[in-house]
Amino acid sequence: MLNERFKKMIIEEEEKKEEKNERLLVDLCKCHISLNYLLSPEMISICVSCLLKVALKKEETDEAQKEVEMGLLALCNIGNLKVKIDLYLNEIREIIKYHQEHQNLTRLAYQSVWLFLVKRLYCNRFLEDIVVNKLHFGREARRELEELTKCVNWKKKEEEMNKEEAKEEIALMRWVETLKIYFLRCKLWNELFFGLICGIVQVYRAAKGNNGVIGNLCISSLGIAAERSVVKVEDLLKSGAIDAVLEEIHQPTLDDNIAHDSLIFFMNVSSRLKEKTDNKIEEEERKATKRKVFEKLEEEGYEDTITTFHKIFDFLHRNYSLGTSLNISDYFINI
């Protein structure tokens, strides 16, 4: 098998004492990762070290930037969630901090290095603290969303874009995907959640009517955010997230993916607002938010719209990861 051949060649090249061909080793690692979502512990150790060595290059020539970009794209495609932190943390931290000071990475490369980290937040509070509080993920992600939203030429068709324009659109799409994973895995609350949700809403409004894939990703990401207890429902209201999803479901024609993700969003909002607490202050805040959301949905004719979805609940439930509820009351908010 080609895969086994690559693995054998990587080990042989890595074990050379002299005249090691670093460029060949990098190319072999990228090929091996492209063929394997999950790597063996031995291959993780070799590939991560090899690709990080490439990513640490600080030359700003076009060739060096392209090499770094390709290395980081390969690195973030490693599917193993539990990569030993000592294999990458110091190097990743150096790459991010150097870019924050010198802006040496391409947008796609910078997104990739963050994606590698965010994927590994799974059950790792130590890494969460570094990502959120030391490396300032929320601030960086919000800025990248804002800048890329301005850079993307939303009226241009894909085939009309030049190479750099296409890269900016891909980077923006991947940032929204990264935030989806971040909301899913980050359990550490921070005040920048509100800014990130505002950023996604901004991207959604820019993409609406221009790029259905990115728009759909935004709605899906907001649905994940709505489920997480670290994200306040009040923030979903103030950021315009609820308005954005309401606008989507009121469209005369609606893609099944969008219908599913919109229902997931409102199901999660409804579920969150039903969660009572013994803390008197928090309970008062919940009730106040619940009334605001109820009034917003009533004003926009939400109940009638959702009722029209009732006949397709079973279809969406069966065909989209069984995520939706079959009980229509789970999508409503009652005062």
Side-chain angles (χ1 to χ4, degrees), residues 45-90:
S45 179
I46 296 173
C47 291
V48 169
S49 299
C50 176
L51 294 172
L52 283 175
K53 190 181 293 184
V54 171
L56 283 164
K57 289 184 178 181
K58 297 182 173 62
E59 298 95 2
E60 295 187 14
T61 63
D62 290 344
E63 185 180 354
Q65 281 199 328
K66 184 178 180 181
E67 193 177 351
V68 169
E69 184 179 86
M70 295 303 293
L72 287 171
L73 279 167
L75 186 72
C76 76
N77 284 329
I78 295 175
N80 307 65
L81 299 181
K82 295 182 179 179
V83 178
K84 289 182 180 178
I85 200 166
D86 57 351
L87 279 177
Y88 65 84
L89 186 58
N90 290 336

Side-chain angles (χ1 to χ4, degrees), residues 13-188:
E13 197 64 40
E14 174 66 17
E15 290 177 346
K16 284 182 180 178
K17 301 296 183 183
E18 298 178 358
E19 298 182 357
K20 187 183 294 187
N21 189 331
E22 297 287 353
R23 184 176 289 275
L24 173 62
L25 185 57
V26 168
D27 289 340
L28 289 170
C29 287
K30 288 190 287 191
C31 290
H32 185 64
I33 291 169
S34 70
L35 293 172
N36 295 270
Y37 181 68
L38 300 176
L39 306 184
S40 68
E42 182 182 22
M43 286 296 99
I44 287 176
S45 179
I46 296 173
C47 291
V48 169
S49 299
C50 176
L51 294 172
L52 283 175
K53 190 181 293 184
V54 171
L56 283 164
K57 289 184 178 181
K58 297 182 173 62
E59 298 95 2
E60 295 187 14
T61 63
D62 290 344
E63 185 180 354
Q65 281 199 328
K66 184 178 180 181
E67 193 177 351
V68 169
E69 184 179 86
M70 295 303 293
L72 287 171
L73 279 167
L75 186 72
C76 76
N77 284 329
I78 295 175
N80 307 65
L81 299 181
K82 295 182 179 179
V83 178
K84 289 182 180 178
I85 200 166
D86 57 351
L87 279 177
Y88 65 84
L89 186 58
N90 290 336
E91 291 83 355
I92 290 284
R93 191 155 34 188
E94 182 181 341
I95 291 166
I96 289 174
K97 287 187 172 181
Y98 188 85
H99 175 76
Q100 289 172 350
E101 292 177 15
H102 303 281
Q103 304 296 304
N104 67 307
L105 298 176
T106 65
R107 291 193 183 279
L108 195 53
Y110 193 47
Q111 182 279 327
S112 296
V113 73
W114 278 114
L115 179 57
F116 176 83
L117 271 186
V118 168
K119 280 183 175 180
R120 276 143 201 98
L121 289 178
Y122 184 74
C123 297
N124 193 330
R125 298 304 295 274
F126 171 70
L127 184 58
E128 273 187 15
D129 180 59
I130 290 172
V131 167
V132 173
N133 298 319
K134 304 294 193 304
L135 296 176
H136 310 293
F137 171 77
R139 179 194 70 196
E140 296 295 298
R142 175 71 190 275
R143 191 195 68 247
E144 289 292 311
L145 285 180
E146 288 180 346
E147 292 183 2
L148 282 164
T149 302
K150 293 174 186 175
C151 289
V152 170
N153 189 333
W154 295 101
K155 299 301 180 184
K156 252 189 181 179
K157 295 180 180 178
E158 187 177 344
E159 59 271 17
E160 297 173 339
M161 292 182 182
N162 63 39
K163 193 174 181 180
E164 288 308 311
E165 288 174 329
K167 274 191 175 184
E168 287 171 345
E169 187 175 50
I170 291 168
L172 180 59
M173 188 182 305
R174 286 167 61 93
W175 265 114
V176 179
E177 289 176 334
T178 301
L179 288 172
K180 186 175 178 178
I181 298 170
Y182 178 68
F183 286 131
L184 189 63
R185 293 184 180 162
C186 185
K187 297 180 180 178
L188 187 64

Side-chain angles (χ1 to χ4, degrees), residues 249 263 302-310 313 328 331-332:
I249 65 168
L263 287 170
Y302 164 79
E303 186 168 336
D304 289 340
T305 302
I306 292 297
T307 301
T308 65
F309 282 95
H310 195 208
F313 280 178
I328 195 169
Y331 302 96
F332 296 140

Side-chain angles (χ1 to χ4, degrees), residues 280-322:
K280 288 185 178 180
I281 296 176
E282 290 180 1
E283 181 61 14
E284 286 303 313
E285 288 177 353
R286 182 189 72 85
K287 287 180 179 178
T289 301
K290 189 176 182 180
R291 177 159 289 281
K292 289 178 189 175
V293 174
F294 174 80
E295 289 172 353
K296 164 66 69 177
L297 299 184
E298 188 175 45
E299 180 184 339
E300 298 295 332
Y302 164 79
E303 186 168 336
D304 289 340
T305 302
I306 292 297
T307 301
T308 65
F309 282 95
H310 195 208
K311 291 182 180 179
I312 63 168
F313 280 178
D314 183 60
F315 168 79
L316 295 176
H317 177 76
R318 284 185 286 106
N319 289 276
Y320 292 88
S321 305
L322 305 180

Side-chain angles (χ1 to χ4, degrees), residues 132-289:
V132 173
N133 298 319
K134 304 294 193 304
L135 296 176
H136 310 293
F137 171 77
R139 179 194 70 196
E140 296 295 298
R142 175 71 190 275
R143 191 195 68 247
E144 289 292 311
L145 285 180
E146 288 180 346
E147 292 183 2
L148 282 164
T149 302
K150 293 174 186 175
C151 289
V152 170
N153 189 333
W154 295 101
K155 299 301 180 184
K156 252 189 181 179
K157 295 180 180 178
E158 187 177 344
E159 59 271 17
E160 297 173 339
M161 292 182 182
N162 63 39
K163 193 174 181 180
E164 288 308 311
E165 288 174 329
K167 274 191 175 184
E168 287 171 345
E169 187 175 50
I170 291 168
L172 180 59
M173 188 182 305
R174 286 167 61 93
W175 265 114
V176 179
E177 289 176 334
T178 301
L179 288 172
K180 186 175 178 178
I181 298 170
Y182 178 68
F183 286 131
L184 189 63
R185 293 184 180 162
C186 185
K187 297 180 180 178
L188 187 64
W189 181 86
N190 67 91
E191 68 277 5
L192 292 173
F193 274 134
F194 175 71
L196 291 176
I197 294 167
C198 287
I200 293 173
V201 172
Q202 181 184 11
V203 174
Y204 165 77
R205 296 205 181 282
K208 187 178 178 183
N210 298 309
N211 189 311
V213 175
I214 293 179
N216 191 9
L217 273 173
C218 291
I219 299 295
S220 178
S221 296
L222 292 173
I224 296 294
E227 183 183 14
R228 309 303 297 164
S229 60
V230 289
V231 177
K232 296 181 179 180
V233 177
E234 179 77 12
D235 287 346
L236 296 172
L237 186 62
K238 288 181 178 178
S239 66
I242 289 175
D243 289 291
V245 185
L246 275 171
E247 288 172 21
E248 195 60 51
I249 65 168
H250 284 137
Q251 295 296 313
T253 57
L254 199 59
D255 177 88
D256 288 339
N257 281 297
I258 292 281
H260 169 264
D261 292 337
S262 299
L263 287 170
I264 288 288
F265 176 85
F266 285 116
M267 184 180 74
N268 288 337
V269 168
S270 174
S271 176
R272 292 281 307 285
L273 290 175
K274 290 173 184 175
E275 297 170 353
K276 295 183 179 181
T277 174
D278 293 331
N279 183 301
K280 288 185 178 180
I281 296 176
E282 290 180 1
E283 181 61 14
E284 286 303 313
E285 288 177 353
R286 182 189 72 85
K287 287 180 179 178
T289 301

